Amino acid sequence: WFDVSAPWLERVLSRKPRSILRAVDGVSFGIRKGETLALVGESGCGKSTIARMLVGLYPLTRGTITFDGQPISNMQGRSGLALRKRLQMIFQDPYASLNPRWRVGRIIAEPMLAHTNMTEQERDARVDVLLTQVGLHASDKSRFPHQFSGGQRQRISIARALAVNPEFLVCDEPTSALDVSVQAQVLNIMKDLQRNLGLTYLFISHNLAVVHHVADRVGVMYLGRIVEIADRDTLFSNPQHPYTRMLLSAIPDMTGQGRKRTPVAGEVPNPLNPPSGCTFHPRCPFARERCKSEAPATQNFKGVEIACHGVAEGWPMQV
Ligand code: SF4
Ligand code: MG
């Protein structure tokens, strides 16, 4: 339904106009209607870049992204506006993304002004419905963002994103600025809304517990590539790529079975100057000579897509 094929994407860093970061490289994936695909990885791996490209906030310089068969590479003009209505984004920081000088009712109604011909009365009625859907009260519309807690503010962001009846929500770390106790509430509201409204989510997170809670499928990103993508349960019970295994071993086991712990070793290299070959090779305990020179292609192993020479060739990979 949503197809991303980006053999070589790049973006120009705004602060260093001369340096070009290949933020997302060799990425290709699809998202099915009604599912949650989570992209997980350490910071700087390019997951936010993908999120922003999907909603047109970053330019796509090569490759294609299609949504429902339509290319979204060009979000300009009238057809771009129609497309943007169907794709909305929820940002990480509910403090920064809500205008502090506007009342909540105006914040939530704003996308309706841009995308619909609704009357003020219709918009007002819709704001009431949206506030109730996210577990707030219609009367909250006359208050200002600073009068709400972090979790409540993120509910307001969700209500705003839903204002124009989108089909697809890109959620970039939507709960990572919140207290752990509040995170689950917001995630559960998002799951309820998905079920009731038939929404599709791309969910970006560095938090594997959160990913395990929300995702149907999971893509693991490392330095701008997806190194493994699988159904959630398959990925968590049988991680295969060495980087996925490293990430999962750093968290308590969520499958109920024992898992041998391997520490997360080494630092994430500078994405401006990524290592040759398999970019994970300096941190990989199984790296061989070939890994330093040749980037592994993504291959499908019984529905799990993995980019690793060792997995493809069945190298012994016991820690
Ligand atoms: Fe490790 Fe080589 Fe696989 Fe990269 S390709 S993850 S270095 S074994
Ligand atoms: Mg980010």
Side-chain angles (χ1 to χ4, degrees), residues 43-44 47-48 92 172-173 204:
S43 66
K47 36 191 209 309
S48 293
Q92 170 172 357
D172 187 5
E173 303 268 13
I204 308 282

Side-chain angles (χ1 to χ4, degrees), residues 92-128:
Q92 170 172 357
D93 188 351
Y95 298 86
S97 62
L98 303 179
N99 187 333
R101 288 184 298 272
W102 286 8
R103 292 180 197 275
V104 164
R106 182 175 174 196
I107 290 173
I108 296 174
E110 199 208 7
M112 297 183 239
L113 275 170
H115 288 288
T116 72
N117 301 319
M118 293 165 81
T119 64
E120 191 180 344
Q121 221 172 8
E122 287 166 338
R123 290 195 301 269
D124 206 49
R126 174 109 182 101
V127 167
D128 293 359

Side-chain angles (χ1 to χ4, degrees), residues 17 30 38 52 58 71 120 126 138 175 185 201 210 213 215 222 248-249 252 272 305:
R52 279 151 202 266
Y58 275 150
E120 191 180 344
R126 174 109 182 101
T175 62
Q185 291 170 17
Y201 290 153
V210 166
H213 189 68
Y222 189 73
L248 289 187
S249 71
L272 284 171
E305 292 192 34

Side-chain angles (χ1 to χ4, degrees), residues 36-40 169-175 187 190 201-205 207 210-211 214-215:
T36 298
L37 174 71
L39 291 181
V40 67
L169 286 188
V170 174
C171 317
D172 187 5
E173 303 268 13
T175 62
L187 294 174
M190 291 180 67
Y201 290 153
L202 177 74
F203 197 100
I204 308 282
S205 182
N207 184 326
V210 166
V211 166
V214 299

